[in-house]
Amino acid sequence: MSNTRFPTHFLWGVATSAFQIEGAGQEDGRGASIWDTFCATPGKIIDGSHGLVACDHYHRYAEDVALIASLGCKAYRFSMAWPRVQPLGEGAWNEAGFAFYERLLDELDKHGLEAHLTLYHWDLPQALQDKGGWLSRLTCERFADYAAEVARRFGSRVKTIATHNEPWCTAQLGHGNGQFAPGYASTAMAAQVSHHLLLSHGLALQAMRAVGCQAQLGIVLNQAPSYPATDKPADAEKAALDYDLYVSWYMDPLFYGRYPARALQHLGHLAPRVLENDFDIIKQPLDFLGINYYTRGWASTDEPPIPAPCKLGVNDMGWEIYPEGLTDLLLMLKRDYPLPPVYITENGMANADSLSGDGAVHDPERIEYLRLHFEAMQAAIAQGVDLRGYFLWSLLDNFEWNSGYAKRFGIVYVDYASQQRTLKDSAHWYREFITSRG
Ligand code: PNW
């Protein structure tokens, strides 16, 4: 690790999301979400699991918050389950659901931890899906209502509110290839959904600001540069198109109020229907931008494609470990957009962890992954990127979507039979890093 310290006020934290950890799927009036439905559909989740219990965080939040504090973290990024606080996604609010998040915020306060809230981490109320879900503009309006209510109640208790987590995943994996809920596989649907997610983001920002929300408002995007496999022009073109569809598709509307021309041309008649004022709504000023980075993109037009070199190996999901991609990405974004303060809102590594005989969990691969990505952040900061903080994904092993519980991203190991938490070596390393050089 280089000697450069991170800026004094650099924020170190951990991240989770509601559906992946809370459990209590049918408690205290929570409504069903599209992920409950998806899990109940045979063949969708690799290990046939569901989120009804997960890490039982709904009941163990106090223990989990104490864990975060014990790591020396100053901040916690989590999401609110929309169907927990508004079971049908419109109409009545569920006070018991809001009460849970109040208890969680009280606990964070007690430990002096900053709260960073995400409104939508993929668990749409099923009742709204039944009315068209993100294909319907009405869902955008309901989302803005939900955002305003949360802002009214919690706007002064949380530091930041992100509207969406990774709209690319909702659009592409949820509607473009069907790997995620609600499980559609249509390019045109995915494109329309991406537009509605952006629109709902803009409407939500307007609605939250209209109620005088004091929290910083933004959005969280998964991003990565795409690298051509060879110096053939076709590979360069493919890399550029991939980057446009993955990154610019979301960044250009947010900052410039337009979709990237190359991507639009590629989509042709499958491009989304955009109404006249949509871009004015989408282009709300952002107080911050959250970026989730795990791996890079790789573009090859050969048949079969030339694989990425994976010099540093892959994680347990098969994703290439490529820390320089994070530096490259941040510098490209700084070059191309008038960025607000940036946070890395997710970064981490799935690893085949297990409890060893000595009661510890040895995960040197994850420690190395984190170390290299911290260096990559330092390199970007040294080159002028206004990076304010880092949220490690994830505090706990948890429900890894269509991979179920088979993939472990936590720095804290979870034994799902006993719900016992065990700090992995990486958790001890992170604490040491934060307290000594962070
Ligand atoms: C993110 N991809 O998901 C999510 O925000 C987390 O909930 C999730 O647990 C974490 O990353 C690890 O997967 C992604 O296929 C899922 O490119 C898939 C992709 C990217 C991010």
Side-chain angles (χ1 to χ4, degrees):
M1 180 79 60
S2 77
N3 292 322
T4 345
R5 291 175 70 99
F6 280 88
T8 318
H9 296 291
F10 196 84
L11 196 62
W12 295 98
V14 285
T16 64
S17 89
F19 191 83
Q20 294 179 273
I21 65 166
E22 283 181 3
Q26 289 161 346
E27 250 170 272
D28 293 340
R30 176 186 176 277
S33 81
I34 56 173
W35 272 94
D36 294 294
T37 308
F38 199 64
C39 291
T41 312
K44 298 298 186 190
I45 311 298
I46 289 171
D47 60 2
S49 61
H50 53 71
L52 292 172
V53 178
C55 304
D56 196 32
H57 172 76
Y58 190 76
H59 300 111
R60 293 165 198 267
Y61 66 94
E63 178 191 343
D64 292 339
V65 170
L67 269 179
I68 300 169
S70 81
L71 293 171
C73 289
K74 289 282 175 291
Y76 178 45
R77 173 176 180 248
F78 62 99
S79 78
M80 184 177 282
W82 186 356
R84 200 180 281 294
V85 301
Q86 194 182 32
L88 300 179
E90 58 191 331
W93 305 106
N94 179 29
E95 292 306 325
F98 278 123
F100 166 69
Y101 294 104
E102 266 162 36
R103 292 196 293 279
L104 176 62
L105 289 173
D106 289 346
E107 208 59 31
L108 291 169
D109 277 349
K110 219 169 84 186
H111 291 279
L113 292 166
E114 283 184 11
H116 293 257
L117 174 69
T118 301
L119 291 173
Y120 187 80
H121 202 123
W122 308 350
D123 41 2
L124 185 74
Q126 179 61 42
L128 288 185
Q129 186 62 46
D130 296 340
K131 295 184 170 186
W134 290 113
L135 269 182
S136 164
R137 288 176 77 95
L138 290 176
T139 300
C140 304
E141 288 170 31
R142 299 294 76 78
F143 182 69
D145 297 344
Y146 158 57
E149 184 66 17
V150 174
R152 242 181 247 120
R153 292 178 184 240
F154 296 120
S156 59
R157 297 200 64 186
V158 301
K159 255 283 184 314
T160 67
I161 300 179
T163 52
H164 286 285
N165 176 71
E166 302 192 346
W168 178 89
C169 287
T170 299
Q172 228 44 56
L173 307 181
H175 300 79
N177 71 20
Q179 285 172 14
F180 282 9
Y184 294 109
S186 147
T187 302
M189 256 198 208
Q192 192 61 53
V193 164
S194 71
H195 181 65
H196 287 163
L197 291 168
L198 285 163
L199 181 67
S200 71
H201 156 84
L203 290 170
L205 250 56
Q206 288 179 333
M208 290 191 283
R209 287 189 171 128
V211 301
C213 183
Q214 289 164 38
Q216 302 277 294
L217 305 181
I219 187 168
V220 170
L221 304 176
N222 50 318
Q223 299 198 353
S226 209
Y227 299 81
T230 72
D231 50 19
K232 283 191 287 202
D235 285 354
E237 273 163 41
K238 181 169 192 313
L241 175 62
D242 288 352
Y243 184 79
D244 272 2
L245 290 168
Y246 195 64
V247 176
S248 321
W249 186 264
Y250 296 90
M251 290 293 282
D252 284 12
L254 290 166
F255 288 92
Y256 300 124
R258 56 155 196 256
Y259 284 118
R262 178 171 24 217
L264 275 180
Q265 199 192 348
H266 169 79
L267 284 171
H269 69 284
L270 304 176
R273 198 166 99 89
V274 177
L275 301 193
E276 198 174 324
N277 295 318
D278 286 359
F279 284 126
D280 296 332
I281 296 167
I282 292 169
K283 217 183 93 185
Q284 299 302 308
L286 295 173
D287 298 325
F288 75 93
L289 175 68
I291 292 173
N292 297 351
Y293 178 82
Y294 289 93
T295 186
R296 65 162 157 177
W298 181 258
S300 169
T301 55
D302 277 63
E303 251 339 308
I306 299 170
C310 300
K311 283 201 192 101
L312 299 176
V314 297
N315 77 1
D316 200 32
M317 307 284 286
W319 300 352
E320 183 189 12
I321 296 165
Y322 194 76
E324 300 97 295
L326 179 53
T327 312
D328 292 350
L329 170 70
L330 290 168
L331 293 175
M332 286 163 80
L333 295 178
K334 176 175 148 61
R335 181 194 65 198
D336 295 341
Y337 302 96
L339 294 178
V342 174
Y343 293 87
I344 301 302
T345 32
E346 282 180 31
N347 171 248
M349 179 179 175
N351 201 36
D353 301 315
S354 59
L355 268 176
S356 71
D358 57 3
V361 180
H362 303 301
D363 57 344
E365 304 85 357
R366 183 176 286 108
I367 293 173
E368 184 61 2
Y369 179 96
L370 296 173
R371 198 181 66 75
L372 292 169
H373 285 81
F374 294 0
E375 280 186 359
M377 290 195 291
Q378 284 181 315
I381 293 169
Q383 291 171 78
V385 175
D386 185 8
L387 192 59
R388 300 287 179 96
Y390 174 89
F391 295 85
L392 200 164
W393 185 271
S394 178
L395 170 66
L396 302 171
D397 291 336
N398 59 45
F399 177 77
E400 180 50 34
W401 307 112
N402 61 335
S403 301
Y405 297 95
K407 302 295 177 198
R408 294 179 177 271
F409 272 93
I411 54 172
V412 175
Y413 183 87
V414 177
D415 175 333
Y416 292 107
S418 65
Q419 287 296 345
Q420 193 178 320
R421 278 85 161 124
T422 304
L423 269 63
K424 301 180 189 177
D425 288 353
S426 57
H428 295 291
W429 179 87
Y430 191 41
R431 168 170 46 208
E432 173 62 19
F433 180 85
I434 293 174
T435 47
S436 66
R437 344 168 64 158

